[in-house]
Amino acid sequence: MADIKNTQTQGGGGDDAPKKQASDEAKDQANAAFKKQDYPLAIDLYSKAIDIFPTAVLYANRSIAHLKTECVGYALNDASKAIELDKTYVKAYYRRAAAYMALGKFKQALKDFEAVVNARPTDKDAKIKHQECNKIVRKMAFEKAIAVDDTKKAIVDSIDIEAMAVENSYTGPRLENGKVSVQFMAELMEWYKNQKVLHRKYAFKILVDIERYLMNQPTLIDVTIPEDKEFTVCGDIHGQFYDLLNIFRINGIPSEDNPYLFNGDFVDRGSFSVECIFVLFGFKLLYPNHFFLARGNHESASMNQMYGFDGEVKAKYNAQMAEFFTEVYNWLPLCHCLNNRVLVMHGGLFSNDEVTLDDIRQVDRNRQPPDEGIMCELLWSDPQPQYGRSPSKRGVGIQFGPDVTDKFLAKNKLDYVIRSHEVKPEGYEVAHDGKCITVFSAPNYCDSIGNKGAFIRMKGNQMDPKYTTYEAVPHPDVRPMAYANQILSMLC
């Protein structure tokens, strides 16, 4: 990488002065929108300014706005464009490092931090960011060096539940004969509502039991909804526990007569992720044939390390449990097929028109999500309005058009797909002529977006989606991302 210096990007002069002035006016409006957290408007205005008079500053500013809307691929491209325009612009390297960190590409981020430290050898802030990123890279290298896949003992086999004593002072919910019960779930939700922690003995027991159950499940789960019964599909929850309780208040507590599917991204960002995941796992153990969970892109080690779940588990329990969660998440199913008519996955469709349901069934899911292929695209892809396919705005997966959806549905004899993964103003969005539906169940995402949440209900004999939307409810004064990796909060 070329050496960089701490200099300011200069605008044009002469005949360029009117363009520069118009561009600066749009930039000022964009900056104001950004401060108000209206990131889509800020992106539009930065784009307008770039069209008039492009500068490294504008691309770097639009990069951070894209990062705020989780369009990490776009953020990475803009930061790289800023560096291309001005290799001396230090902030652009910070922006690109932030995008790499958000993607879990820590080695690439470290290179950009090294460039900044070389340019600013006395900058304490730059040194701290470099050191934090370097710690992550070293930790990953160490874990890789000591890992021997063929002989590595599963964490579940090293946990001794019986040796964990329950203190007399503990007055919270207790498993009945080591099993989840209706009473336990009611007490657990009330316990969590009052910001208390489930005893580690019962927390570990739930994890042990859920892993052993999931290990015996297929990658694609076929779900039968009786003709006279209704079924609910929820999207991302993202650690918003009090909004999860509100879903149950509006739509009823899960039961054999009130089945649910939660479609991934149960954790991260929201700071009550531990509460969410144990309630969801508890209901799965209580009603294994009437409560379903699919893996999202945030049920992965790199996302959890950056966006808060790893830190939250360590704060409320310990590092062993955080590592155990990673092992459990590897066994979560990747998608569900409802009545042989509707496929539900977290992300979306594929870069290959030939993918079948049998291909999905054959995917080896017991691993961290790869950067390409069926598993990656199920977790990361997004729909687009135009035909064909495009590179992902996230930097992982693809974007797919209505023709891609049509071909997939026809090949696999399906009616439509449901996916999640994206914030929508109304909590849901119907695209591709009704054949690709997005549902997102975390209202006022990160306490800042202002979106509604939604869930979908359908009856077995019709399978027509019906939408319920709702606003966010109050929660205790713990901000989103409270447990996130500090380097990400420093960059964003």
Side-chain angles (χ1 to χ4, degrees), residues 225 229-231 339 341-342 415-416 418 434 437 456-467:
I225 307 170
K229 297 291 186 180
E230 288 194 281
F231 188 87
N339 280 3
R341 294 175 61 182
V342 179
D415 294 352
Y416 60 94
I418 297 174
I437 299 168
I456 299 171
R457 282 180 72 88
M458 62 189 71
K459 202 165 185 179
N461 60 349
Q462 296 172 332
M463 300 300 290
D464 294 330
K466 307 296 182 185
Y467 308 98

Side-chain angles (χ1 to χ4, degrees), residues 304-335:
N304 293 165
Q305 188 172 21
M306 293 306 299
Y307 290 99
F309 183 63
D310 182 77
E312 184 181 341
V313 176
K314 289 174 179 175
K316 294 176 179 178
Y317 291 100
N318 56 33
Q320 183 189 34
M321 184 179 285
E323 190 175 353
F324 192 11
F325 267 110
T326 297
E327 183 176 292
V328 172
Y329 287 159
N330 284 349
W331 288 109
L332 282 166
L334 299 183
C335 52

Side-chain angles (χ1 to χ4, degrees), residues 106-107 110 130-145:
F106 305 115
K107 287 184 179 179
L110 185 60
H130 177 266
Q131 289 168 359
E132 287 299 317
C133 186
N134 198 26
K135 284 180 187 177
I136 296 172
V137 172
R138 290 203 311 269
K139 181 175 182 287
M140 291 174 62
F142 175 74
E143 290 172 348
K144 185 176 180 180

Side-chain angles (χ1 to χ4, degrees), residues 70-86:
E70 301 187 15
C71 296
V72 184
Y74 290 168
L76 185 63
N77 290 340
D78 273 353
S80 294
K81 182 64 177 178
I83 292 169
E84 180 184 321
L85 287 175
D86 186 354

